[in-house]
Amino acid sequence: MSAVLQTAPRTDEAIVSIRGLTKTYANGFSALKGIDLDIRRGEIFALLGPNGAGKTTLISIVCGIVNASTGQVVADGFDNVADFRKARARIGLVPQELHTDAFETVWATCSFSRGLFGFKPDPAHIERVLRDLSLWDKRNDRIMTLSGGMKRRVLIAKALAHEPSILFLDEPTAGVDVELRHDMWNVVRKLRERGTTIILTTHYIEEAEEMADRVGVILKGEIILVEDKTTLMKKLGKRELALHLNEPLAAIPVALADLNLELQDSGSVLVYRFDAGGEATGISRLLNRLGGEGIGFHDLKTSETSLEEIFVSLVKERA
Amino acid sequence: MNWLAVAAIYKFEMSRWFRTLGQSIASPVISTSLYFIVFGAAIGARMGAIDGVTYGAFIIPGLMMLSILNESIGNASFGIYFPKWSGTIFEILSAPVSWGEMLLGYVGAATTKSVLLGALILVTARVFVPYEIAHPLWMLCFLLLTAASFSLFGFLIGIWADSWEKLQTVPLLVITPLTFLGGAFYSIDMLPSPWRELTFFNPVVYLISGFRWSFYGVSDVPVGYSVAAIAGFLVTCVLIARWMILSGYRLKR
Ligand SMILES: Nc1ncnc2c1ncn2[C@@H]1O[C@H](COP(=O)(O)OP(=O)(O)OP(=O)(O)O)[C@@H](O)[C@H]1O
Ligand SMILES: [Mg+2]
């Protein structure tokens, strides 16, 4: 059964299934208001949301760090409370905050993590993980002598020490420079290729855009959207065609008023907006009619709305 | 049973101790030596024997208990409070580790340290006073039980404490007076009437008395009471720890 799943990594089957999850903190604050969410086996799922939306709370409950008020979490078929041993052994967590044991060496802290999760020592595995994360040279260094970005990688290495099939990354690239960020993306992609399911939260939309198969948006403790990334981009994304005109226009000609046009740069650029998902873009019709009106152009550019713009507009809508 | 996790926690805690071995050992050894010099040699020379035991020898079991209690509580409370404070506790909480395994790892390590320390004090005492141990097996048994139960107690304090002040004041405010008034330096019989009866409410009296009996065969209270008292204390602490870990009291939000 599991062999079949490994050879066919991505399926629609849920590996993490969250039902009716709520969390009210001791101070009465309701951080999660009934979350239902399925994470599919083998996917990279990006959880987006503004500060305080409840991303960390949600992850913490799944990983057993925070008690849920109500609701249920099933990880790889095991209830995370009733069957906590089996559920947790499959989950790795990289927390948002850089909590590390300052006095331990990189090697010792990774070996500790593996043992803690009930796995026999496997130096070869730890070595592979450390090499993948470019930490091999630092293996005998104490964590306190490492930079912030390296500490972040140590936390990732710790989370991977027990070969989890589900990995939670809570803002893995916060405070990490561009180069390192790309390294991390590569690590995550490699993990996915090996069949690990990855759930990451991030504030960098480009990260979700770059990496995710599906995107979920959480706002004030509620999931307001879960969508295939490409579908989402199609559905909500607008594309633009910008024409750089030979002669600036004072106004859009009346004959073209039925089209979704806008003038920019004091009339020298004509912008046409159309649905990214639509079959007929209407570009050729537009160009024909421009020709008919005697409007010439010397350059054209198309662009797509980024996930970030989609996200901002979604959040604004709900706010 | 996740023995590998128990081993991981135990090893982690022991290596923390060995990293600061000089410090961990020097302070209890120095302070006990001072006690022996002042009370055992200087003052003890002018004191008569108690229950047929010289004063220097008489105070050994009490002094050992004093150190073991302090070290057990200090070690175990720090062991769990520090990861709580630094945030690294997240990993323990997210691991497939049961309450019992967590206790075995943390409290087991603290107990080991205390027992080693007790042995060290016993050796140090030899330098200052000659003594004999009448019931070595019982002595070991009391040593283990006391170290384990007070390490557990320290573990509870570590979970309960939400500031460094609380972590430090509880042992200072509660344990030190109880030990000093627990008959470390005198026999309970030497106290005048109301105090003597009151003393029997002090749990440390039972510890020290039982421990002293294992050395010299004399005790303030029947040995059975001592064993029962420690065992009862141990079980109570285990039950409280179990509740704390399962409910996430001051561990989980
Ligand atoms: N221990 C706590 N007690 C009370 N409220 C809390 C506690 N922890 C978090 N909260 C509140 O719950 C809400 C969700 O917090 P959470 O950390 O899950 O947000 P987040 O989406 O991860 O935000 P960020 O992007 O800033 O990391 C916030 O309003 C926060 O103030
Ligand atoms: Mg967060």
Side-chain angles (χ1 to χ4, degrees), chain B residues 18-204:
Chain B
F18 280 115
R19 235 181 349 244
T20 54
L21 193 63
Q23 208 179 310
S24 318
I25 283 183
S27 84
V29 169
I30 291 176
S31 64
T32 338
S33 303
L34 287 175
Y35 277 120
F36 280 126
I37 293 168
V38 174
F39 290 101
I43 298 176
R46 315 215 164 173
M47 302 265 293
I50 301 176
D51 299 331
V53 181
T54 66
Y55 189 68
F58 179 85
I59 62 172
I60 293 174
L63 277 179
M64 269 179 80
M65 281 288 157
L66 186 75
S67 285
I68 286 167
L69 258 53
N70 277 324
E71 289 302 310
S72 298
I73 292 174
N75 251 312
S77 63
F78 183 88
I80 188 71
Y81 180 79
F82 190 76
K84 245 176 46 154
W85 176 79
S86 73
T88 51
I89 188 86
F90 87 87
E91 198 181 14
I92 309 283
L93 296 178
S94 70
V97 175
S98 70
W99 67 272
E101 289 150 3
M102 205 168 151
L103 278 191
L104 269 179
Y106 280 106
V107 177
T111 305
T112 309
K113 298 172 202 175
S114 294
V115 170
L116 289 178
L117 193 82
L120 194 68
I121 292 175
L122 209 53
V123 173
T124 313
R126 199 76 194 175
V127 176
F128 300 96
V129 262
Y131 59 83
E132 271 157 47
I133 300 172
H135 312 282
L137 269 181
W138 273 108
M139 193 279 285
L140 206 66
C141 185
F142 271 113
L143 185 65
L144 261 170
L145 269 174
T146 309
S149 52
F150 278 83
S151 293
L152 255 165
F153 185 63
F155 187 80
L156 301 184
I157 292 175
I159 293 184
W160 166 81
D162 48 15
S163 68
W164 288 101
E165 286 74 30
K166 282 189 192 168
L167 192 71
Q168 272 154 1
T169 44
V170 170
L172 215 66
L173 287 181
V174 181
I175 298 306
T176 312
L178 285 185
T179 336
F180 271 87
L181 302 176
F185 298 108
Y186 51 87
S187 167
I188 303 301
D189 297 338
M190 295 159 80
L191 287 176
S193 182
W195 301 113
R196 185 167 55 199
E197 282 74 32
L198 268 180
T199 292
F200 290 111
F201 290 101
N202 178 356
V204 179

Side-chain angles (χ1 to χ4, degrees), chain A residues 85 88 99 104 113 118 158, chain B residues 2 19 86 91 93 95 101:
Chain A
R85 273 187 205 278
R88 288 184 190 179
H99 299 310
E104 297 290 317
S113 297
K158 278 168 76 72
Chain B
N2 186 354
R19 235 181 349 244
S86 73
E91 198 181 14
L93 296 178
E101 289 150 3

Side-chain angles (χ1 to χ4, degrees), chain A residues 252-280:
Chain A
I252 295 185
V254 188
L256 302 176
D258 59 317
L259 298 171
N260 189 5
L261 293 172
E262 190 191 325
L263 277 172
Q264 286 177 358
D265 279 351
S266 48
S268 63
V269 178
L270 185 68
V271 177
Y272 172 59
R273 291 204 174 82
F274 55 97
D275 270 354
E279 288 294 312

Side-chain angles (χ1 to χ4, degrees), chain A residues 23 25 63-67 84-85 88 93 95 99-101 103-104 112-113 115-120 142 158, chain B residues 1-2 4-5 8-9 12 15 19 86-88 90-98 101 247-248 252-253:
Chain A
K23 174 63 185 179
Y25 278 113
C63 296
I65 297 168
V66 170
N67 288 330
F84 77 97
R85 273 187 205 278
R88 288 184 190 179
L93 165 66
H99 299 310
T100 52
D101 287 303
F103 299 101
E104 297 290 317
F112 169 79
S113 297
L116 194 62
F117 278 76
F119 286 74
K120 292 212 177 70
R142 286 187 177 193
K158 278 168 76 72
Chain B
M1 190 79 184
N2 186 354
L4 288 159
I9 298 175
F12 178 90
S15 76
R19 235 181 349 244
S86 73
T88 51
F90 87 87
E91 198 181 14
I92 309 283
L93 296 178
S94 70
V97 175
S98 70
E101 289 150 3
S247 70
K252 295 187 188 184
R253 287 169 292 137

